[in-house]
Amino acid sequence: MDSRRFGKYIVEREVLDEQRLEEITQRKTHSDNQSSLTERLKDSLRCTVPKLKHSVMSSLPVLYWLPKYSVWDYGMPDLISGISVGIMHLPQGLAYAMLASVPPVFGLYSSLYPALIYFFFGTSRHISIGTFTVLSIMVGSVTERLAPDVNFLIQNGTNVTAEVNITARDSYRVQVAVATTVLGGLIQVALGLVKFGFVGTYLSEPLVRAYTTAASAHAVVAQLKYIFGVSPTRFSGPFSMVYTLKDVCSLLPHTHLPTLVVSAVSMVFLIAAKELNSFISPKLPVPIPVELITIVAGTLISAYTHLNRNYTISVVGEIPSGLSPPSVPDASLFGEVIGDAFALAMVGYAISISLGKTFALKHGYKVDSNQELVALGLSNAVGGFFQCFSVCSSMSRSLIQETTGGKTQMAAVASSLIVLLTILKLGPLFQELPKAVLAAIVFVNLKGMFKQHSDIVTLWERSKIDLMVWLVTWVSTLLLNLDLGLAASILFALLTVIFRTQMPTYSVLGNVPGTELYVDIETHREARDVPGVTIFRSSATVYFANADLYIEALKEKSGLDISKMIIYKKRQEAKQRRRERRAERRAKRQAKKERRAEQRAAKHLSGAPVFSVEEEAGSWRNTCVDGDVMDREQQGCTERENGTVFIIPTTPRTPDRWEYLKGGEPDCTSLGSISELQEGDTTTLDSSSDDTLSRDLERISLGSLGKWSWDIHSIIIDLSTANFIDIVAIKTIKNIIHDFSEIDVDIYIACCQAPVVEQLELGDFFSETITKRSLFVSVHDAVLYCLNHRGATSIPRYEPSVDTYDGTKL
């Protein structure tokens, strides 16, 4: 037990270092952990019936909840929810197929097959899998890049007409979309099987929201040709949106007015109906299917007024009835679309898992991130064999599924039946639907994404770094296109993390009187310095990227430039040795002179004086030399102006202690009378290099902080923020301990987590000079040890001005 007066409080407790903690808690060693790891590996490879059942249940979650499904409790809510979502699937599938630059029927396929696959493998009960705006735009950028219109122009002899072979173009675009979708799905399945579900966390919320906001701008530009009835040139690659927008603006004088009228009327109707729907929806059991009503009305008006024939308004065209047989994707395209497939996999998973976790938290169940990655990957990979393009969960449909009472993924089965019925029987009825109506649906549905621009104001108030991530993501996605924009955004987001760990906040801690708390002195007025002890903490872990900065910050906070002080100390020790040798030679000469004096006295008493010229000359020369030395050393205290004087104590208790005094015009009386000091106790810097070093020390040492003496005997490094430590950091801390020991400062480490201690052991950090006795469980344990070990003899008693602590001083 240690009884220590700390301020005006008596602290009685046992000081716990790492070695004592291991003795008390019997912490497992690294070899024990290795053996336990071997046992766990053997246990994981051992096949038992319960483990097999658990594996099957986790791989096919439907086997867990379907046998418990209550038709009486969940049947009707799921049916109503499924019909509502299925009605939404129809207009969104047709419209988003246009964003993907494939025929509309493939949007219906993408609303059917993936939802059924997710029914078996998904763990979320409320998300609706199907077409989504952002993914459709990303697929469209790939299809139009690899299958542009110029590659499918119909040639007539040597002349090339402006007509495009639409059938051949659409067929190849479907192959490109299918190959991209299948490859993206396989990437998701592979990542899910190796438990890489956490990869979606690298897409932060500001990044995803900025990315979807910029993608909505791409969607708007892509739909302008259907809104205005023009045919702009399609560009791909960086700045493609800028070039496309410029081309559309140049074609505005050639706007097809009937198409523009249809677009305007559709958008006005959709906006008004949606606002009315949001107003009265709380009073209705299910929301009004505004998009479906718009499609039906647009189709009927177009069919009875013959808009395509009379006003040349572009319509959807032929929609084949029935299901197409599965086909194998063209594997030769994988090499050209692998980057886009990876981007689709990451964005789709990030959107789906965020929605899934939101609904799971609201309704009190758990979503498995790895299984979600596998389920979404299988939905895309298997769906690709049935000519589907990339899908994920949709915010609008998921909200409808949840708010209309959906309880399980049985609602997805009901919505798939609605889509299946449309594909088999109702598809041909939508052949006269104007494309301008679908473009208007896309426009209006993007309103929510455009509202995300308000994130700029929110992030400006909350986090400037997150705001930078948002802006960089938004700008890079707009200018560099969706694939390169995503890569640049993730890279910049990771760089911000590295920057924050490379430039952390360094602080010196002080004690809150009456407690065992230690807080930053600069931000807490009631925190008090611990006499003779500096407690240093970094807000980030120490590793190779910030190890050098860590050393510099420690020197700055402690007020000592160790390297220069060590150099000067060695020079002072060398001068001390030279002075001792001169004193020894002087003593020998003095003894020799005394012997000669005795000889002359003896000869004088005998009455036979002998005069020796050589002896007198030697005596005169020695006297002159000794006199010059004495004069120089007596004058040394005043021959430098604005000098720096170092006093090296000769007491055997602290042979290595030395004190730094800062003075403008050194006064010998301030250091004690020169006659009272022994020979060689005082020295001055008499060379230009020593003058420069002295001035540097005067600038960087504790004198610049207002302290007239160096009063630090211990430094405690708080590693509570470190969750790992690498080889470079281990060497850095060992160098710190060695360097500070040169000037008689002890280094202690506090608050190491168990993994950090284990990494220190593996990195050969501990030795005969550095033991686990220098690692303490808490900062307070380290402080108590320092005060007990060094404070009693070196540091004056600490009396804080605050006598009581009521818990409100922090």
Side-chain angles (χ1 to χ4, degrees):
M1 301 292 290
D2 179 72
S3 178
R4 184 72 183 171
R5 181 177 175 83
F6 199 57
K8 292 187 177 181
Y9 303 91
I10 302 298
V11 181
E12 293 187 1
R13 53 166 294 182
E14 180 181 6
V15 177
L16 292 178
D17 54 38
E18 187 65 29
Q19 185 170 334
R20 177 59 179 157
L21 180 65
E22 291 182 2
E23 294 173 357
I24 297 174
T25 60
Q26 298 295 316
R27 185 176 70 87
K28 293 182 179 180
T29 63
H30 178 66
S31 58
D32 295 333
N33 291 332
Q34 291 283 42
S35 60
S36 61
L37 179 62
T38 304
E39 292 297 328
R40 289 198 301 269
L41 182 60
K42 291 181 179 179
D43 184 66
S44 64
L45 296 177
R46 191 178 296 114
C47 183
T48 60
V49 175
K51 288 181 62 177
L52 179 62
K53 180 180 178 181
H54 180 267
S55 299
V56 173
M57 290 289 187
S58 60
S59 300
L60 283 171
V62 67
L63 298 179
Y64 173 76
W65 62 266
L66 188 59
K68 304 177 182 179
Y69 186 80
S70 174
V71 178
W72 182 262
D73 294 331
Y74 300 150
M76 185 57 64
D78 283 342
L79 179 61
I80 296 174
S81 175
I83 293 174
S84 302
V85 173
I87 291 173
M88 290 187 67
H89 267 302
L90 300 180
Q92 291 186 1
L94 295 172
Y96 295 160
M98 293 175 57
L99 291 177
S101 298
V102 295
V105 69
F106 294 97
L108 297 179
Y109 294 158
S110 301
S111 301
L112 171 63
Y113 295 106
L116 294 176
I117 300 298
Y118 186 84
F119 169 81
F120 292 98
F121 297 96
T123 58
S124 176
R125 304 173 188 173
H126 295 92
I127 64 174
S128 174
I129 297 296
T131 56
F132 185 62
T133 312
V134 176
L135 296 192
S136 300
I137 300 167
M138 297 174 71
V139 173
S141 66
V142 182
T143 55
E144 296 197 5
R145 186 184 76 240
L146 298 182
D149 291 341
V150 295
N151 292 352
F152 300 93
L153 297 176
I154 298 176
Q155 297 182 358
N156 184 12
T158 58
N159 297 323
V160 178
T161 66
E163 186 177 357
V164 178
N165 188 345
I166 296 178
T167 303
R169 182 201 64 184
D170 289 347
S171 176
Y172 189 71
R173 285 183 176 179
V174 169
Q175 294 182 33
V176 173
V178 166
T180 307
T181 301
V182 171
L183 185 57
L186 293 177
I187 292 174
Q188 290 173 329
V189 172
L191 292 177
L193 292 177
V194 296
K195 307 301 181 183
F196 262 51
F198 65 88
V199 72
T201 59
Y202 288 104
L203 302 179
S204 63
E205 182 180 354
L207 188 150
V208 172
R209 290 177 67 87
Y211 185 80
T212 54
T213 303
S216 64
H218 281 274
V220 168
V221 174
Q223 297 304 301
L224 289 178
K225 60 182 179 180
Y226 301 112
I227 296 292
F228 294 101
V230 295
S231 300
T233 304
R234 179 66 180 182
F235 299 92
S236 61
F239 302 100
S240 60
M241 192 187 77
V242 178
Y243 299 141
T244 303
L245 187 60
K246 178 182 177 182
D247 197 23
V248 170
C249 292
S250 65
L251 293 175
L252 287 181
H254 306 286
T255 299
H256 190 246
L257 292 180
T259 301
L260 182 60
V261 170
V262 172
S263 303
V265 171
S266 300
M267 282 191 283
V268 170
F269 174 77
L270 283 168
I271 294 173
K274 281 183 174 290
E275 292 298 326
L276 178 63
N277 194 18
S278 63
F279 180 74
I280 65 175
S281 59
K283 303 176 183 179
L284 300 176
V286 294
I288 301 174
V290 178
E291 290 91 349
L292 182 62
I293 293 175
T294 305
I295 286 180
V296 172
T299 303
L300 292 176
I301 294 173
S302 176
Y304 283 102
T305 59
H306 305 287
L307 294 180
N308 178 252
R309 185 178 61 189
N310 296 333
Y311 301 98
T312 64
I313 294 177
S314 178
V315 296
V316 170
E318 181 182 0
I319 298 180
S321 59
L323 300 174
S324 61
S327 61
V328 179
D330 188 359
S332 62
L333 295 172
F334 285 173
E336 300 182 65
V337 300
I338 184 170
D340 303 280
F342 186 81
L344 283 164
M346 292 299 97
V347 174
Y349 172 68
I351 294 172
S352 296
I353 195 63
S354 61
L355 278 178
K357 288 185 176 180
T358 299
F359 289 121
L361 182 63
K362 181 178 179 180
H363 293 277
Y365 62 92
K366 183 180 179 181
V367 171
D368 186 348
S369 58
N370 293 312
Q371 183 60 29
E372 281 295 296
L373 195 53
V374 173
L376 190 61
L378 289 175
S379 299
N380 282 308
V382 176
F385 285 88
F386 293 91
Q387 290 80 48
C388 301
F389 55 85
S390 293
V391 297
C392 69
S393 62
S394 167
M395 171 67 80
S396 59
R397 293 195 306 271
S398 299
L399 286 175
I400 293 299
Q401 182 167 323
E402 190 260 346
T403 55
T404 53
K407 303 296 183 182
T408 67
Q409 282 297 325
M410 287 297 293
V413 176
S415 64
S416 298
L417 292 177
I418 299 295
V419 177
L420 179 62
L421 177 63
T422 303
I423 294 174
L424 294 178
K425 299 296 182 182
L426 304 179
L429 300 179
F430 295 104
Q431 293 181 2
E432 294 297 322
L433 175 64
K435 290 184 179 179
V437 175
L438 295 177
I441 292 175
V442 172
F443 254 75
V444 176
N445 285 341
L446 291 175
K447 182 183 67 173
M449 290 189 180
F450 282 116
K451 286 183 177 180
Q452 294 178 161
H453 284 96
S454 62
D455 291 351
I456 297 176
V457 178
T458 304
L459 294 176
W460 174 263
E461 299 172 352
R462 297 180 180 178
S463 174
K464 299 298 189 297
I465 294 181
D466 287 335
L467 175 61
M468 288 297 299
V469 172
W470 199 100
L471 293 176
V472 169
T473 302
W474 185 76
V475 172
S476 61
T477 305
L478 285 179
L479 299 182
L480 301 181
N481 218 339
L482 296 173
D483 48 357
L484 294 179
L486 179 63
S489 305
I490 295 175
L491 180 61
F492 181 79
L494 294 178
L495 286 178
T496 60
V497 176
I498 296 174
F499 173 77
R500 279 184 272 193
T501 58
Q502 200 169 12
M503 302 293 291
T505 301
Y506 299 101
S507 55
V508 174
L509 307 184
N511 176 254
V512 179
T515 71
E516 296 184 4
L517 300 177
Y518 293 84
V519 294
D520 189 354
I521 293 178
E522 296 181 359
T523 59
H524 296 80
R525 296 188 184 92
E526 296 300 325
R528 297 291 183 265
D529 282 318
V530 179
V533 180
T534 295
I535 307 170
F536 179 74
R537 182 175 67 188
S538 169
S539 62
T541 188
V542 189
Y543 69 113
F544 68 92
N546 61 7
D548 293 337
L549 299 175
Y550 190 86
I551 296 178
E552 296 300 324
L554 178 59
K555 291 178 181 179
E556 179 183 353
K557 292 295 183 179
S558 64
L560 302 173
D561 192 325
I562 301 302
S563 57
K564 289 189 176 182
M565 287 187 170
I566 291 176
I567 292 173
Y568 195 84
K569 179 187 176 184
K570 292 180 178 179
R571 291 182 180 178
Q572 289 297 103
E573 291 174 348
K575 288 184 178 182
Q576 178 70 11
R577 289 192 295 269
R578 290 196 297 270
R579 285 195 296 269
E580 292 175 354
R581 287 194 295 269
R582 288 197 300 269
E584 184 179 354
R585 290 195 298 269
R586 191 179 303 115
K588 289 181 180 180
R589 289 194 294 269
Q590 183 66 24
K592 186 177 181 180
K593 184 169 63 174
E594 291 176 356
R595 285 196 302 271
R596 289 174 179 173
E598 290 176 358
Q599 291 175 0
R600 288 195 297 270
K603 291 179 181 180
H604 179 72
L605 292 175
S606 64
V610 177
F611 179 78
S612 174
V613 177
E614 296 178 356
E615 290 180 1
E616 292 299 326
S619 175
W620 175 83
R621 181 171 59 250
N622 293 336
T623 302
C624 291
V625 171
D626 294 341
D628 292 341
V629 172
M630 291 294 292
D631 292 340
R632 285 197 301 271
E633 295 186 355
Q634 292 287 342
Q635 297 172 0
C637 197
T638 59
E639 72 177 4
R640 281 186 72 242
E641 293 184 357
N642 194 21
T644 301
V645 180
F646 284 82
I647 298 177
I648 301 181
T650 58
T651 58
R653 181 178 61 84
T654 57
D656 294 333
R657 295 284 292 173
W658 52 286
E659 190 175 32
Y660 165 70
L661 298 177
K662 174 184 176 183
E665 295 181 3
D667 184 11
C668 293
T669 60
S670 66
L671 304 178
S673 175
I674 293 295
S675 62
E676 296 175 0
L677 298 177
Q678 297 181 3
E679 169 65 31
D681 284 349
T682 305
T683 184
T684 59
L685 305 178
D686 53 2
S687 65
S688 60
S689 61
D690 289 346
D691 289 344
T692 303
L693 183 58
S694 177
R695 286 194 296 270
D696 290 341
L697 284 172
E698 182 176 335
R699 183 177 65 254
I700 64 175
S701 299
L702 288 176
S704 62
L705 301 179
K707 297 184 179 180
W708 295 98
S709 62
W710 171 40
D711 57 0
I712 298 174
H713 61 72
S714 301
I715 294 178
I716 300 173
I717 298 177
D718 182 1
L719 290 183
S720 58
T721 57
N723 59 345
F724 74 94
I725 191 168
D726 59 7
I727 295 297
V728 176
I730 291 175
K731 291 182 179 179
T732 298
I733 296 178
K734 292 178 70 173
N735 291 336
I736 290 173
I737 295 175
H738 176 268
D739 291 344
F740 277 90
S741 66
E742 292 288 330
I743 58 172
D744 197 28
V745 174
D746 298 330
I747 302 293
Y748 301 99
I749 302 174
C751 302
C752 281
Q753 301 181 36
V756 175
V757 176
E758 184 176 344
Q759 290 165 2
L760 290 174
E761 293 174 346
L762 296 176
D764 293 331
F765 177 76
F766 300 105
S767 60
E768 295 181 358
T769 57
I770 306 176
T771 66
K772 289 186 178 180
R773 292 291 184 185
S774 60
L775 268 68
F776 292 88
V777 175
S778 67
V779 172
H780 192 66
D781 286 286
V783 169
L784 293 178
Y785 178 83
C786 293
L787 295 180
N788 184 59
H789 184 62
R790 298 284 295 269
T793 58
S794 305
I795 302 301
R797 183 65 62 190
Y798 170 51
E799 295 289 343
S801 59
V802 180
D803 293 335
T804 59
Y805 175 70
D806 58 3
T808 63
K809 299 295 185 181
L810 283 177

